[in-house]
Amino acid sequence: MNPLRSLILAAAGSDAVRRLVATTPGTAGVVERFVAGNTVADAVTRVNRLVDDGLSVTLDHLGEDVTEPRHAEQSVQTYLSLLDRLYAEGLTARVEASVKLSALGLRLDERLALDNAYRVCAAAEQCGTTVTIDMENHTTTDATLRVLAELRHTWPWVGGVLQAYLRRTEDDVRELAVADSRVRLCKGAYAEPDEVAFTRGHEVDLAYVRCANLLLAGDGYPMFATHDPRLIAILAERARWYGRKQGSYEYQMLYGVRPDEQRRLAAEGETVRIYVPFGENWYAYLMRRLAERPANLLFFLRALASRS
Ligand code: FDA
């Protein structure tokens, strides 16, 4: 892995760097580019704009790796009010929720995370929408897939995420590429060791294409989460090759990343879903975004320098 990327991802876990970044003047402007505000109301305002532009959305309440049950409970309560608000505003046909199990207590107890995820999924069903369970670092993959399988007994529409950089993922894709199965395929955003993950960019890209082929050939609903122009061109060609009609798969991109490309694909009739994070605990999320693109880091450092 690129040394700068490793350094930034290491800083994502550092409390000292978090405090420094959070209290430095100028940070807010950069955070705004990638995060849709602190509250449910802020997020819903941004979501309305995206939906007006023909985009679909998945909303993520930021916060991960909670170590106290009351924080997991706060996260559940935020998702419940978010879902109520989406229903009240008539947005649930186009907007769903993304959930990190570590925000619901996975690090404390898998059962707690499962119970909490049940509550969020039950509320989503009542509101007429869906939930996708994000994937975190490789130490959580088995537990996350177990919880996903449990949830799918009751709600087959619960989406899962697979990361192309993990060496195990092709096998996982084969398991999940079944009828009605919503699977988001991403490259993977965490610093992972060579034993479990491909660490060279071109290996990850090749793995992504292999997994995409399996998903397109299968009976599920693939959700291709990438901003990579080369992969997007390959996916368009592969979708045609497999006879996939628009709407039988979707593209997904992050809020604030390649907005013109998001709208270009939507204008071509593709389903494009934007992952919109909101909430006060933006630090780890922001660091992963900075690690993905050195230009973002320069933009960030320039903003800090000009305002401090
Ligand atoms: P890559 O990083 O190679 O970027 C390709 C090109 O896209 C860049 O050259 C640049 O033009 C543009 N680009 C990419 N990232 C950018 C950024 N941050 N800022 C500006 N431009 C950028 N990961 C995970 O481990 N678990 C998960 O659950 C999810 N969920 C998820 C949902 C959605 C909707 C998306 C889009 C992504 C995720 N990810 C994720 C993150 C994913 O694993 C990956 O880290 C990022 O999407 C970046 O990878 P790309 O495929 O975009 O390619």
Side-chain angles (χ1 to χ4, degrees):
M1 182 184 287
N2 161 332
L4 181 60
R5 182 155 186 247
S6 312
L7 191 70
I8 302 169
L9 287 174
S14 156
D15 257 358
V17 183
R18 181 184 56 74
R19 275 194 300 277
L20 181 72
V21 172
T23 55
T24 305
T27 301
V30 184
V31 175
E32 247 170 51
R33 176 177 161 195
F34 296 106
V35 177
N38 283 339
T39 64
V40 166
D42 294 338
V44 170
T45 304
R46 308 297 212 294
V47 164
N48 267 307
R49 278 185 224 141
L50 295 169
V51 168
D52 286 347
D53 285 351
L55 299 163
S56 299
V57 171
T58 185
L59 269 161
D60 165 48
H61 177 239
L62 292 166
E64 51 198 84
D65 291 333
V66 303
T67 50
E68 290 185 41
R70 73 191 164 93
H71 291 148
E73 182 56 30
Q74 280 164 5
S75 193
V76 173
Q77 292 304 328
T78 305
Y79 274 107
L80 299 185
S81 25
L82 172 68
L83 289 162
D84 275 352
R85 183 70 183 264
L86 294 176
Y87 180 74
E89 300 222 5
L91 285 166
T92 46
R94 297 284 285 278
V95 184
E96 64 144 33
S98 277
V99 173
K100 282 189 176 48
L101 291 180
S102 79
L104 303 189
L106 186 67
R107 300 233 174 255
L108 293 163
D109 176 15
E110 189 173 321
R111 182 76 223 182
L112 173 70
L114 174 62
D115 289 348
N116 284 337
Y118 253 92
R119 295 163 65 202
V120 175
C121 290
E125 183 184 45
Q126 278 186 345
C127 295
T129 188
T130 53
V131 173
T132 296
I133 307 293
D134 284 352
M135 190 57 86
E136 303 179 63
N137 74 41
H138 81 277
T139 63
T140 65
T141 309
D142 283 323
T144 304
L145 292 177
R146 274 195 301 273
V147 170
L148 177 69
E150 279 292 320
L151 294 169
R152 282 182 167 188
H153 283 143
T154 311
W155 299 288
W157 45 254
V158 178
V161 179
L162 294 174
Q163 299 153 317
Y165 67 7
L166 291 187
R167 295 178 189 276
R168 59 179 282 168
T169 291
E170 271 180 80
D171 291 337
D172 291 331
V173 169
R174 282 192 185 87
E175 294 269 310
L176 292 189
V178 294
D180 298 331
S181 169
R182 298 166 64 246
V183 180
R184 176 193 302 159
L185 180 66
C186 64
K187 287 189 184 178
Y190 297 83
E192 299 289 15
D194 197 47
E195 304 85 79
V196 299
F198 302 111
T199 48
R200 292 193 187 84
H202 73 276
E203 288 178 320
V204 178
D205 293 352
L206 288 173
Y208 194 104
V209 175
R210 288 195 299 274
C211 293
N213 277 321
L214 291 169
L215 287 173
L216 287 166
D219 294 327
Y221 180 80
M223 306 186 282
F224 296 117
T226 182
H227 316 94
D228 188 328
R230 210 157 56 103
L231 281 184
I232 291 169
I234 293 171
L235 291 167
E237 185 278 322
R238 296 279 78 200
R240 274 194 301 275
W241 197 84
Y242 282 104
R244 286 280 190 155
K245 295 206 167 51
Q246 286 184 333
S248 70
Y249 61 90
E250 68 184 43
Y251 293 100
Q252 297 192 342
M253 294 193 198
L254 301 175
Y255 181 71
V257 180
R258 302 198 70 203
D260 293 345
E261 178 66 359
Q262 296 169 6
R263 282 155 183 81
R264 182 191 72 79
L265 286 166
E268 284 186 359
E270 300 289 359
T271 304
V272 182
R273 189 176 299 279
I274 310 307
Y275 184 102
V276 178
F278 73 98
E280 289 171 5
N281 296 318
W282 44 260
Y283 174 70
Y285 178 86
L286 181 71
M287 293 314 252
R288 287 197 293 275
R289 300 298 73 85
L290 297 182
E292 275 151 15
R293 202 166 177 238
N296 286 345
L297 183 65
L298 289 179
F299 170 70
F300 182 63
L301 294 174
R302 232 180 277 130
L304 294 186
S306 64
R307 307 215 193 162
S308 48

